[in-house]
Amino acid sequence: MLKLWDVKTGRCLYTWEFPTAIKRVAFSDDDNLIACITEQRMGHQGAIRVFRINRSGNGTEQSEQPISIFHPIESKATVLTFGSTPDTIITGHESGKLTLYNTKNGEELATNKRAHREVVTDIQLSQDR
């Protein structure tokens, strides 16, 4: 499950439910989108889901459905971050692969299958992205 919290009050605003655990969560720089990786397990395919955060009202009225959902191929995604704009997501994988996806439709824009020799456990972008 994925929970959206009000950090000032500590109140849970919304909970998204999934069939498997979440491995990683990322917010876009403008804080309008949230993305998560769900685990590939128990017959469920691993997925990246992107949700738009509804900031109107008290924050409890969120869409249950993601604006996009896509499934990485070949190797499980382990980490993700938004790219230089909210239109792209960068993922790191168990195989060491790095992939750039279109946030809206999950299209694979670029990939480097040999970016690293081992599992990618973190992604940090430079300030000048």
Side-chain angles (χ1 to χ4, degrees), residues 14 16 49-52 62-69:
Y14 193 81
W16 289 274
R49 292 174 169 86
V50 181
F51 296 91
R52 183 167 313 285
Q62 303 297 323
S63 174
E64 184 178 312
Q65 297 302 315
I67 61 170
S68 66
I69 181 170

Side-chain angles (χ1 to χ4, degrees), residues 45-61:
Q45 191 175 10
I48 296 171
R49 292 174 169 86
V50 181
F51 296 91
R52 183 167 313 285
I53 299 173
N54 178 7
R55 298 193 173 280
S56 63
N58 62 7
T60 60
E61 299 294 322

